[in-house]
Amino acid sequence: MKACFMSKRSAEVVFACAVFSLVFAGQGVCKPRVRDEVKIPDVGGYLTLACDFHMHTIFSDGRVWPEIRAEEAWREGLDAFAITEHIEYQRHEKDVRTNHNRSYEIAKGSAESLRLVIIKGAEITREMPPGHFNAIFLKDANALDVEEWRDAIKEAVEQKAFVWWNHPGWRGQQPDGKSIWYEEHTELYKKGWMDGIEIVNDDEYYPLAHKWALEKKLTMIGGSDVHTPTGLNYDFHTGEHRSMTLVLSKEKSEGAIKDALLNRRTVVYWRKNLIGEEKYLRPIFDGSIEILNPEVTIKGKGSAYVQILNKSEVDFELESAGEVEEISAPGSVTLYGEKVNLLRIRGKKEDVSGEKEMRLAYKVKNLWVGPEEGLRAELVIKVNLVPAKKK
Ligand SMILES: [Zn+2]
Ligand SMILES: [Zn+2]
């Protein structure tokens, strides 16, 4: 009798679930929405915010509705983003009314409900020179819709925007993809109308622009410039991420992000590489790495394992940058992200003894302090050397 009652209840539950699923199907009730955090440590009292300040929607030549940009940003672990529609080019103008502020207005509610910072921006889209410029922290993007490119950039500057030169090595505007700095760029730079430069755009990296950024003290920017849904551009299930700018910011707010950008506190995250000034890359590396057993004992020419935790999501590719007298360590090693990695070190002599702090010097090949120039870093281990045979 009891068993019969139970099975009736089970059937009711199944029926209720089926009705619930039918009623709510399509309303997202049962669909998981999951955020994949960008795992790179905070440094020097600043938050490391994941940001993308370059993307498009159907309000210029993109393929998505603005609210989708907010959802993508949240799912991909961003903290802040800007939609930067072309002022001068609207691919869908027969279907979509011209209003350069509109994508921001539409995406704002979604962004805020997901606790994302959304910043109003636009892309001034001109022939080379000077090419394309992004302006963010705008008050009114429609005011940039003017005849002369100088007037458009001047208007952005008067609105106290942060302005940068986009994709300076883009093949569509530069011969053979070479980055050429024109007189017009000198003019903008001297007027203080160029705050930054893209050293990365989508899947492209521009070494010369990277050099200029360091020499001229321009803020380094990396943007996705995505036009399609991001899932069509990046293979997320293989661990790919969009090209982005990491902003070292006092807090997660529009004002603090602007302060960080004006003070060049950025690191560009492109493919498996972090690109930025040494003063930021070093604490990111040091803050990611933890040696779990910083003291080991080696008997004569025997070996010991050092366990190294990499808390970040970036796989650090290390290459030896110098020998240590008493021990040998691998010439190259990868410290995989979010893993504990084993480093095997060996004694070089049978009869040495004593406790010593060893500094294993490496170049981190994918942390670029200059154009494709790796950061020098050290792994510090205390080694207790014991002679192989005690007499
Ligand atoms: Zn562009
Ligand atoms: Zn663009």
Side-chain angles (χ1 to χ4, degrees):
M1 196 63 196
K2 199 179 176 190
C4 185
F5 174 74
M6 285 298 286
S7 73
K8 194 177 166 221
R9 278 294 296 267
S10 299
E12 281 169 358
V13 170
V14 169
F15 177 72
C17 281
V19 170
F20 183 82
S21 302
L22 281 171
V23 169
F24 290 100
Q27 292 188 23
V29 169
C30 296
K31 295 256 195 241
R33 289 165 75 191
V34 179
R35 175 174 164 92
D36 192 6
E37 293 284 349
V38 176
K39 293 169 216 79
I40 294 172
D42 296 333
V43 293
Y46 297 113
L47 301 174
T48 300
L49 300 182
C51 306
D52 183 6
F53 304 123
H54 194 164
M55 66 189 77
H56 300 270
T57 77
I58 59 159
F59 283 84
S60 56
D61 59 345
R63 303 274 181 95
V64 305
W65 185 248
E67 285 173 313
I68 302 302
R69 290 297 183 218
E71 180 73 20
E72 290 171 338
W74 182 80
R75 289 184 184 212
E76 293 168 43
L78 296 189
D79 298 292
F81 71 105
I83 299 171
T84 48
E85 310 290 11
H86 299 290
I87 295 287
E88 297 83 354
Y89 178 50
Q90 281 179 278
R91 185 174 169 178
H92 315 291
E93 63 190 332
K94 282 185 189 152
D95 302 303
V96 181
R97 245 190 301 154
T98 300
N99 178 350
H100 305 297
N101 293 317
R102 194 63 192 135
S103 52
Y104 168 84
E105 290 165 2
I106 293 168
K108 196 173 192 303
S110 303
E112 287 175 353
S113 72
L114 295 169
R115 300 177 58 237
L116 296 171
V117 177
I118 178 169
I119 299 164
K120 189 184 278 187
E123 181 168 8
I124 300 162
T125 310
R126 304 291 176 137
E127 298 288 311
M128 189 73 84
H132 298 191
F133 279 72
N134 266 7
I136 60 171
F137 308 106
L138 288 171
K139 293 176 180 74
D140 178 15
N142 286 319
L144 273 52
D145 200 349
V146 291
E147 190 80 22
E148 292 292 322
W149 64 262
R150 281 183 185 82
D151 293 336
I153 296 179
K154 185 167 182 260
E155 176 61 36
V157 171
E158 283 175 0
Q159 291 188 27
K160 300 205 179 330
F162 177 87
V163 178
W164 70 94
W165 181 11
N166 293 340
H167 42 71
W170 175 42
R171 284 182 179 271
Q173 288 198 321
Q174 295 275 32
D176 303 324
K178 287 189 184 109
S179 303
I180 296 174
W181 180 284
Y182 292 84
E183 271 175 36
E184 286 78 355
H185 299 116
T186 300
E187 178 194 330
L188 291 169
Y189 176 69
K190 284 190 172 166
K191 280 181 176 165
W193 288 7
M194 194 196 297
D195 302 303
I197 191 165
E198 272 185 355
I199 61 168
V200 162
N201 176 281
D202 187 14
D203 200 34
E204 292 182 339
Y205 160 70
Y206 312 111
L208 197 52
H210 186 187
K211 191 166 162 272
W212 293 336
L214 291 166
E215 285 169 2
K216 298 173 193 298
K217 302 203 180 306
L218 293 166
T219 304
M220 290 182 233
I221 303 284
S224 72
D225 200 359
V226 70
H227 288 68
T228 62
T230 53
L232 295 186
N233 224 41
Y234 297 96
D235 227 348
F236 296 126
H237 70 281
T238 63
E240 261 190 12
H241 62 87
R242 74 166 82 188
S243 300
M244 66 178 82
T245 308
L246 304 175
V247 177
L248 309 182
S249 182
K250 282 175 198 150
E251 56 177 40
K252 186 174 156 182
S253 71
E254 188 170 329
I257 289 169
K258 190 173 184 182
D259 176 71
L261 290 174
L262 289 170
N263 289 289
R264 297 185 291 118
R265 293 197 305 270
T266 62
V267 169
V268 172
Y269 188 19
W270 175 64
R271 295 185 182 173
K272 58 182 184 176
N273 308 291
L274 295 176
I275 312 168
E277 288 188 67
E278 183 173 346
K279 64 181 173 184
Y280 302 131
L281 291 185
R282 185 170 303 289
I284 285 178
F285 179 77
D286 290 344
S288 302
I289 294 299
E290 185 184 340
I291 299 179
L292 301 177
N293 57 329
E295 288 188 39
V296 295
T297 298
I298 296 180
K299 228 177 189 184
K301 287 185 178 174
S303 64
Y305 287 110
V306 181
Q307 301 206 12
I308 305 172
L309 169 66
N310 176 359
K311 289 175 264 185
S312 83
E313 67 177 47
V314 180
D315 298 336
F316 296 123
E317 296 172 7
L318 274 56
E319 198 171 71
S320 177
E323 297 260 312
V324 179
E325 199 189 321
E326 296 88 349
I327 58 164
S328 63
S332 63
V333 61
T334 300
L335 302 177
Y336 289 96
E338 298 175 82
K339 301 270 191 273
V340 177
N341 301 267
L342 274 187
L343 183 80
R344 192 180 196 186
I345 56 173
R346 281 184 171 279
K348 281 183 180 171
K349 292 174 189 164
E350 294 286 12
D351 56 353
V352 284
S353 65
E355 207 175 71
K356 246 188 159 180
E357 189 181 77
M358 309 276 179
R359 295 183 166 268
L360 304 177
Y362 282 99
K363 238 183 191 181
V364 191
K365 290 195 295 177
N366 57 324
L367 299 193
W368 294 350
V369 294
E372 290 169 69
E373 185 198 334
L375 172 83
R376 286 180 73 94
E378 286 180 337
L379 299 173
V380 183
I381 306 151
K382 198 181 267 183
V383 184
N384 183 24
L385 296 163
V386 180
K389 287 177 193 166
K390 284 186 180 167
K391 286 171 189 168

